[in-house]
Amino acid sequence: MQKSLFFIVLLCVCMTVQARKKVNHASDGEGGRPKVALVLGGGGAKGASAVGVLKYVEKSGVPIDMVVGTSIGSIVGGLYAMGQTSEQLDSLFRTRAWANLFTGSLMGDSIVRTLRDLTGGEVSFESLQIPFRCVAVDMNRMKEVVLKEGDLAQAMRASMAIPVVFKPVKIGNMKLVDGGVLNNLPVDVAREMGADYVIAVDLTVNKHENNSSSLLSLLRPDLKKYQRNRKDADIYINPNLKGYGAEDFMPNKIAEMIDLGEKAGKASLKEMKKLKKRLD
């Protein structure tokens, strides 16, 4: 596994150098145009579908000025903000070595070393091609934390630290776990960064749209923010992932979810091209 992962990482790093010349990214709203944010929600293995969506974001030609992610969305988003293309991410997700990272014994911090391999070392937020933020939750205060500086790999690891499954990540006085606990679709974070338009990729299947019970609100304090963020997205993309779970890292399931993401991205392509025209 380690050898195969090494070659995957080497390939990704080499391809990233070339990709930086090709991907239609922008670091700021060039020419004074409105800024566009890409927001990637959490969902474990379902993050594969976000990779499929990204293929059509690229095809649309819409420039991405900032990226925000939660949980698996922070992994995809962080790598994308580095300059990796959707095709590179597709290749990475389809490897068994990638699946093994999330299905093996990962209670410790070995995954941080792997993420650093994927990012080419101790990459900082400040060195990214596109401004990036990822969301975690401080268990000491039960408060949402937006990570925007320091070690990218450690931040991504904190954002995806599913309680019970992964150990919390300690940063300063904070004990950080998965951002999806309080904010699984952080459109509001993108707005705070100055986004005029938001393309949001939501991996949620059960949205609880018509359930306002007080008990559910107590059990799921994130729901009100989630519903608000979902409605605030300018382009909302929600792949049909019914029947797929956060733990479905098997290669065949990953391939199917990438295809479903492509289908959802294609369905939104016309809308994204309209946005591109407004920006021109």
Side-chain angles (χ1 to χ4, degrees):
M1 171 185 163
Q2 290 181 341
K3 287 184 178 179
S4 61
L5 183 59
F6 171 78
F7 287 114
I8 293 165
V9 171
L10 182 61
L11 177 62
C12 285
V13 172
C14 291
M15 291 176 69
T16 297
V17 174
Q18 296 299 319
R20 288 175 177 173
K21 301 177 182 179
K22 299 178 181 179
V23 185
N24 189 15
H25 289 335
S27 59
D28 51 18
E30 295 176 0
R33 63 164 174 74
K35 294 182 180 180
V36 182
L38 174 67
V39 173
L40 304 175
K46 292 184 289 182
S49 64
V51 173
V53 171
L54 285 177
K55 295 181 182 182
Y56 282 87
V57 173
E58 291 174 0
K59 285 183 180 181
S60 74
V62 173
I64 300 301
D65 301 302
M66 59 194 79
V67 181
V68 182
T70 290
S71 197
I72 193 67
S74 73
I75 307 296
V76 178
L79 293 173
Y80 200 67
M82 280 186 62
Q84 290 199 22
T85 66
S86 60
E87 290 299 332
Q88 286 175 268
L89 292 170
D90 180 298
S91 297
L92 178 61
F93 265 70
R94 291 178 190 270
T95 61
R96 181 166 291 280
W98 172 259
N100 288 342
L101 291 179
F102 297 94
T103 55
S105 178
L106 291 171
M107 295 297 287
D109 288 331
S110 60
I111 195 168
V112 173
R113 292 192 294 272
T114 302
L115 289 172
R116 283 179 181 151
D117 286 341
L118 288 172
T119 57
E122 290 194 22
V123 175
S124 69
F125 279 78
E126 294 76 16
S127 67
L128 296 174
Q129 287 189 39
I130 312 173
F132 173 65
R133 304 286 185 271
C134 62
V135 179
V137 171
D138 181 7
M139 291 297 290
N140 291 330
R141 298 175 295 160
M142 201 55 191
K143 184 177 180 180
E144 178 182 337
V145 176
V146 178
L147 300 171
K148 58 182 179 180
E149 59 186 9
D151 183 358
L152 177 64
Q154 186 182 45
M156 292 192 296
R157 163 70 173 84
S159 181
M160 59 154 284
I162 303 170
V164 181
V165 178
F166 295 104
K167 286 199 310 184
V169 173
K170 292 183 179 180
I171 298 180
N173 295 322
M174 299 183 295
K175 187 177 180 181
L176 302 177
V177 297
D178 196 308
V181 171
L182 292 180
N183 194 352
N184 204 42
L185 192 68
V187 171
D188 57 321
V189 176
R191 296 295 187 195
E192 289 168 7
M193 290 176 71
D196 298 293
Y197 293 98
V198 174
I199 300 172
V201 183
D202 184 11
L203 309 178
T204 306
V205 175
N206 186 0
K207 302 173 188 61
H208 298 286
E209 293 169 282
N210 302 314
N211 194 326
S212 58
S213 72
S214 57
L215 177 59
L216 184 61
S217 296
L218 287 173
L219 294 173
R220 293 285 307 277
D222 62 304
L223 279 180
K224 283 187 179 180
K225 176 174 280 193
Y226 165 72
Q227 300 294 5
R228 189 166 59 245
N229 280 336
R230 193 162 63 89
K231 292 175 183 176
D232 191 38
D234 297 285
I235 298 178
Y236 175 76
I237 303 175
N238 182 217
N240 183 5
L241 297 168
K242 186 176 181 179
Y244 294 90
E247 71 288 348
D248 287 334
F249 281 99
M250 296 77 75
N252 63 315
K253 295 289 187 180
I254 291 292
E256 291 168 6
M257 287 188 284
I258 290 175
D259 289 342
L260 289 170
E262 290 182 17
K263 184 176 180 180
K266 186 175 182 180
S268 297
L269 183 59
K270 185 175 181 180
E271 193 176 4
M272 288 189 285
K273 284 186 173 180
K274 286 182 180 179
L275 173 57
K276 175 64 166 61
K277 287 184 179 179
R278 287 198 292 269
L279 299 173
D280 288 342

